[in-house]
Amino acid sequence: MSFGPMPIANGFLAPQDIPLDTYRFELATASCKRCRTFQLIDQPPPDKMFHANYAFFSQTSRVMQDHFENFALDIAQRLLARRDDPFVVELGSNDGIMLRHIAKRGVRHLGVEPSANVAAAARNNGVNTTSVFFDAESAANIREQYGPADVIAAANVMCHIGSIRDVAAGIALLLRDDGVLIFEDPYLGEVIAKTSYDQIYDEHVFLFSLESVRAIFGPHGLSVIDVAPQTTHGGSMRYTLGKTEHHEVSSTVTELEVAESRQGLGDDQTYDRFRQSCEASKAALNRLLGELRGAGKRIAGYGATSKSTTVLNYCGIGPELIEFISDTTPIKQGKVTPGTHISVKPPSCFSEPYPDFAVLFAWNHAAEIIAKEKAFLESGGRFITFVPEVGMIQA
Ligand code: TYD
């Protein structure tokens, strides 16, 4: 399905830097009939998305910090315990949010992070980081310099990489024979179940399922040996893979296979229904915001997420409906949203005075945000959501 012409999701710009002719690409998805990989038909070139001014820093949420500390703990306890001088590589290690917990344990490690500014932040966090794109060539260089990897980890990264087959080849090359690949990404089954179409944007070239992960990594000798659902990013899946002959397959894998078949992730009708649900969601959000503005209500946004770029551009929502968006990320503040030009302001502006309504673009952090915005709710303010359905959040 098509979501129309779309700017770069994290392309926040200062008003004076907006070019006359903003770069846009056609945001459209397809589910491969053969391997059921759900993917973007076109993706902008990587250097348009990941560069020295990349606006996404992982360490913006307390819950995410805890999540990545637990991810590191899972790796340390489950995967490194019986290994002698292990070596851990993380792909897309961002500002070191996960790997710093591995580094603190004195474990040999390397972060691979192509965005120079976040890689520099990781080094400041004591995380050994190289700023390159990961592929078969850089994998061979890493292996030559450090030896084979016991664990290769990635979080919210694999789904960003259009050249995933090169990455899979690089992983097969870098991984020790009995090593494991562990990665997590937003899960297709959750996106379909919740109509969370905002997970579809330039960086998310894939939304994985068990079936598609098998189709991509299987040809490189890697089998899925364990799966574990995660609550992060509105519903993710953590996949553990290893070279088939060295590992047993957990029952969680068969259970997920059955669940995917029940949900119809392999059926065309599922994607037709998803398209209809997206269109209905767009109409309902426009209707609600239009009615509230028509009644003179002030509406702000909460969280200038990458996801919000899809919602705002697909639904055609701009400053005439949403006055500003509050966001804690310093690099986004003072800028405007990509394509729709809504001002992004620091959280201090949210309460001066509180708006009547706030569209929760960071809906994946709802619990954390609702807990800390008690004063907004007590002032009579209401959060609006669009996942799984458009409506007010009952706090
Ligand atoms: P994120 O959930 O990572 O979404 P995406 O992957 O779509 O970019 O980003 C959350 C955004 O919301 C980030 O810009 C920081 C912002 N945010 C707030 O402004 N306040 C908050 O309390 C939280 C948790 C996040």
Side-chain angles (χ1 to χ4, degrees), residues 10 56 60-61 201 233 302-308 326-329 332 362 364-365 368-369 372:
N10 269 305
F56 183 84
T60 51
S61 143
Y201 56 89
H233 286 290
Y302 203 103
T305 54
S306 328
K307 297 185 288 294
S308 69
S326 167
D327 195 284
T328 49
T329 318
K332 296 180 185 174
N364 45 316
H365 301 288
E368 185 174 352
I369 291 171
K372 81 174 177 195

Side-chain angles (χ1 to χ4, degrees), residues 70-90:
N70 288 331
F71 191 1
L73 200 68
D74 182 33
I75 291 176
Q77 291 179 342
R78 190 163 60 94
L79 306 176
L80 298 181
R82 285 177 300 281
R83 291 179 187 257
D84 188 24
D85 189 25
F87 176 45
V88 176
V89 175
E90 189 185 6

